Amino acid sequence: MRASGFPFLVPMLALSVAFFALPLALLFAYSFAGETGPSLENYARFLGDPFNFRVLLNTARLGFETVLSTTLLGIPIALLFWHSGQRTRQVIIFLTLIPMLTSNVVRTFAWIVILGRQGPISETLMALGLTGAPISLMFTEFGLILAMTQIDLPLIILPLVAILSRLPRNLTEAAEVSGAGPWRVMVTVLLPLMVPALLAGWILVYASTSASFVTQAVIGGARNVYVPQLIYREVGTLFDWPLASAIAVVLLFTTGILLLALSMLSRHRRLVGHG
């Protein structure tokens, strides 16, 4: 008789309840706290302000733009990994993992130097004659997307590398022998096989970008306000914990809807190349 594995799950379940389910329940409870008892007052205050609604849309747009940029960079890097020899593969994995071993705060402050007036981007544009004076990409959404792309790129490369590593290298040669050109091989053979990894990467990148308070605050500045900054303002400056909890729940809800949609897509057999 095979022994049940449930006892081995008990520590993980206890940690999940203590450090995830219970804090989440307290967050929900705080979000309904009103002056005269439980109410939807905090949600009405947040969603009733047009400024907050624009901040919510800005946060979603930042997540989508970062997902797009990481996808456009991640797919070529993953394909290079698939076609390369062992030594090049090791270099690609090393360069992908090294940034993840560095603190997000350190990487964010490194981007201050890169995006500043005396940084390499400004110096390169001046050397190419594209601008006559130093420019700064700090406190711009474009600079923020550049930083978020570099920070979150490993989250989409690693799932792609994992799924491509299981494919035979002569797969494209077989398709080309059958008369398919490079683009047709990419669109009809490789992309459908990469869809599950892309969906997993999109979920990770979007969740990371939409909640990245430090990078949003430092690179985006005061002119580009996103939901995590609103939560920080309500907690750290105005001490309005119920409203901050309601904002956090709205962010969780909107992110959860996207994750649910992507999760449902990942189960679509035809989309992931099994139809």
Side-chain angles (χ1 to χ4, degrees), residues 38-117:
S39 71
L40 296 174
E41 174 188 346
N42 299 309
Y43 292 97
R45 287 170 57 198
F46 175 68
L47 297 176
D49 190 334
F51 172 77
N52 293 335
F53 195 70
R54 285 199 301 273
V55 170
L56 199 59
L57 291 179
N58 287 342
T59 306
R61 190 182 70 243
L62 177 66
F64 283 119
E65 289 171 342
T66 307
V67 164
L68 177 62
S69 59
T70 52
T71 302
L72 293 177
L73 284 174
I75 289 178
I77 294 173
L79 290 175
L80 176 64
F81 173 88
W82 187 46
H83 285 291
S84 300
Q86 187 64 25
R87 187 175 297 277
T88 304
R89 286 187 170 197
Q90 290 174 349
V91 172
I92 292 174
I93 292 297
F94 176 78
L95 294 177
T96 302
L97 292 179
I98 279 296
M100 297 184 71
L101 301 177
T102 309
S103 166
N104 188 30
V105 176
V106 174
R107 284 185 285 174
T108 297
F109 279 90
W111 274 100
I112 295 177
V113 178
I114 296 171
L115 299 174
R117 289 183 178 277

Side-chain angles (χ1 to χ4, degrees), residues 16-38:
S16 298
V17 170
F19 297 107
F20 179 73
L22 186 57
L24 200 60
L26 291 174
L27 182 73
F28 274 95
Y30 262 116
S31 71
F32 291 104
E35 293 183 359
T36 58

Side-chain angles (χ1 to χ4, degrees), residues 147-210:
M148 294 305 310
T149 299
Q150 186 272 327
I151 290 172
D152 290 336
L153 190 58
L155 300 179
I156 205 164
I157 289 179
L158 293 177
L160 286 172
V161 163
I163 207 164
L164 287 175
S165 299
R166 297 201 295 267
L167 300 180
R169 293 194 187 189
N170 56 3
L171 183 65
T172 56
E173 296 173 5
E176 288 171 356
V177 169
S178 301
W183 281 108
R184 190 171 182 183
V185 171
M186 182 67 198
V187 173
T188 62
V189 178
L190 292 179
L191 272 181
L193 293 172
M194 288 192 287
V195 166
L198 286 174
L199 292 174
W202 290 344
I203 291 173
L204 294 172
V205 170
Y206 184 87
S208 172
T209 300
S210 60

